[in-house]
Amino acid sequence: MAGVLDNVDQRTRLAGENRMELLLFKLMGKQKYGINVFKVQEVIQCPELTRLANGDPTVIGITNIRGKTITVIDLSKAVGGQPIEDIDNSFVIVSEFNKHVQGFLVHSVDRIVNMKWADIKAPPRGLGKDNFMTAVTEVDEELVEIIDVEKVLSRMNTVSTNISDSAKQMTRNSDKPIHVLVVDDSSVARNQIKRTLQQMDIEPVLAVNGQDGLNKLKEMVADGQPLTSKLDVVISDIEMPEMDGYTLTMEIRKHELLKDIPVVLHTSLTGQFNSKMVERVGANSFVPKFHAETLAEEVKSFIK
């Protein structure tokens, strides 16, 4: 797979156009899976691993890549499947989530496909809380499952949603309730944000993707009153099926009754690129996932 991500910098042109590129891979079996190329640093043949005696059973070892020690996770086992066989001939997808770099062991890597977010759909209802699917799509008439990697990592690492007393203190000059719309396709992320905001006496409105969020916003202004009279802040993920956070932000800014609402983009995608996109699409700020205190302080800065 050498060179599969050589042009990843050029892929940034897709952002803001409601498009993304998906790296396709397989675990054990014929089912194809996908991960957003923006989260992938490189794809390598599985290197020599140092096994760990104790710890999470999905972690098969650690390795050194470009001077950095990273944890390698058997992604198949992590989502409840059979362990990857023939490790030496398998691949590691080196990826960055929430400022942490880790490797995901997969059986094989296929290719990169250019997709419209509109063609990425929410998973079927009724799958239960133990599934790890965040979205589905079709490529060449084959079903591709997009794994909720944040959920995988949350099972391994405890993320605190507690915030300090100072972060809880609000300074609004009225008794009007504070309302925040939270837009995220990951149930784990939505619940993390919800628990954080509730400590600030904010009861959030939840949306499962950008299109759902935009629909809820339009419903709020159906009476012709501006959104700022009913809502204080929008917190939105970037990667979401049907409509991404960049596109949602641009749609908000184009709408006469929505355009003045503060928008905070909250995502596990990291890097200087996001800061540039904040300005390009008209968002107010960018907050990397997930640090409850930082998110709380950012929300407070927009409560007037």
Side-chain angles (χ1 to χ4, degrees):
M1 291 301 295
V4 71
L5 300 175
D6 286 349
N7 297 320
V8 70
D9 288 340
Q10 299 175 21
R11 304 180 196 284
T12 56
R13 69 185 184 279
L14 300 174
E17 298 177 5
N18 210 33
R19 300 187 71 89
M20 53 93 75
E21 289 195 319
L22 207 60
L23 175 64
L24 304 182
F25 60 91
K26 291 184 179 180
L27 300 176
M28 295 297 294
K30 296 181 179 180
Q31 177 63 53
K32 285 186 178 180
Y33 298 89
I35 185 172
N36 192 334
V37 167
F38 274 162
K39 291 184 174 178
V40 179
Q41 293 188 349
E42 58 183 319
V43 180
I44 59 173
Q45 191 86 31
C46 185
E48 183 177 347
L49 300 174
T50 300
R51 306 286 176 151
L52 301 177
N54 299 303
D56 192 288
T58 64
V59 175
I60 61 170
I62 59 174
T63 189
N64 187 285
I65 297 178
R66 306 187 191 284
K68 178 178 290 187
T69 299
I70 69 167
T71 300
V72 178
I73 301 161
D74 184 332
L75 191 54
S76 180
K77 193 171 182 179
V79 299
Q82 295 296 315
I84 298 290
E85 299 174 357
D86 193 12
I87 292 177
D88 291 341
N89 291 312
S90 297
F91 294 86
V92 172
I93 299 175
V94 182
S95 63
E96 182 176 1
F97 284 80
N98 306 341
K99 294 188 174 182
H100 294 286
V101 177
Q102 55 278 306
F104 294 112
L105 182 73
V106 302
H107 183 266
S108 61
V109 178
D110 185 7
R111 58 196 165 109
I112 290 174
V113 292
N114 187 312
M115 303 286 299
K116 296 178 181 178
W117 274 112
D119 293 331
I120 310 293
K121 304 298 183 183
R125 295 189 179 187
L127 290 178
K129 64 180 182 179
D130 292 328
N131 85 90
F132 288 87
M133 194 189 315
T134 190
V136 296
T137 190
E138 281 192 9
V139 177
D140 298 335
E141 299 184 350
E142 285 188 85
L143 180 71
V144 174
E145 297 182 9
I146 301 175
I147 294 175
D148 188 346
V149 180
E150 290 176 26
K151 186 172 182 178
V152 172
L153 296 177
S154 73
R155 294 286 180 93
M156 301 172 58
N157 304 302
T158 301
V159 176
S160 174
T161 57
N162 295 327
I163 58 176
S164 65
D165 290 340
S166 62
K168 295 175 185 177
Q169 295 174 359
M170 305 300 291
T171 56
R172 194 208 281 282
N173 296 323
S174 75
D175 295 328
K176 179 183 174 184
I178 301 170
H179 299 289
V180 173
L181 177 67
V182 176
V183 188
D184 203 303
D185 63 315
S186 170
S187 60
V188 169
R190 287 197 304 273
N191 286 326
Q192 288 172 341
I193 301 169
K194 179 180 178 180
R195 288 193 293 270
T196 299
L197 296 179
Q198 285 176 333
Q199 295 173 72
M200 304 165 71
D201 292 327
I202 299 172
E203 188 61 40
V205 180
L206 305 180
V208 298
N209 58 52
Q211 187 61 61
D212 184 35
L214 185 60
N215 291 343
K216 283 182 166 61
L217 293 176
K218 289 182 176 179
E219 288 172 6
M220 292 180 190
V221 298
D223 60 359
Q225 296 299 312
L227 182 62
T228 49
S229 66
K230 301 156 188 171
L231 193 73
D232 293 275
V233 181
V234 172
I235 302 173
S236 177
D237 187 21
I238 291 177
E239 295 181 283
M240 295 179 288
E242 299 189 35
M243 179 183 291
D244 67 19
Y246 293 137
T247 306
L248 170 61
T249 304
M250 290 190 293
E251 290 296 319
I252 288 172
R253 295 299 179 237
K254 290 191 299 185
H255 195 292
E256 188 62 31
L257 297 177
L258 307 179
K259 65 181 183 180
D260 295 325
I261 196 73
V263 177
V264 177
L265 293 177
H266 182 240
T267 177
S268 56
L269 293 171
T270 55
Q272 185 179 6
F273 168 73
N274 288 295
S275 300
K276 296 178 181 178
M277 284 303 299
V278 164
E279 182 177 353
R280 174 180 167 185
V281 303
N284 295 83
S285 65
F286 159 70
V287 178
K289 289 181 179 177
F290 178 79
H291 190 271
E293 188 84 3
T294 303
L295 180 63
E297 292 292 350
E298 193 70 23
V299 171
K300 280 180 61 176
S301 70
F302 294 110
I303 303 300
K304 301 177 181 179

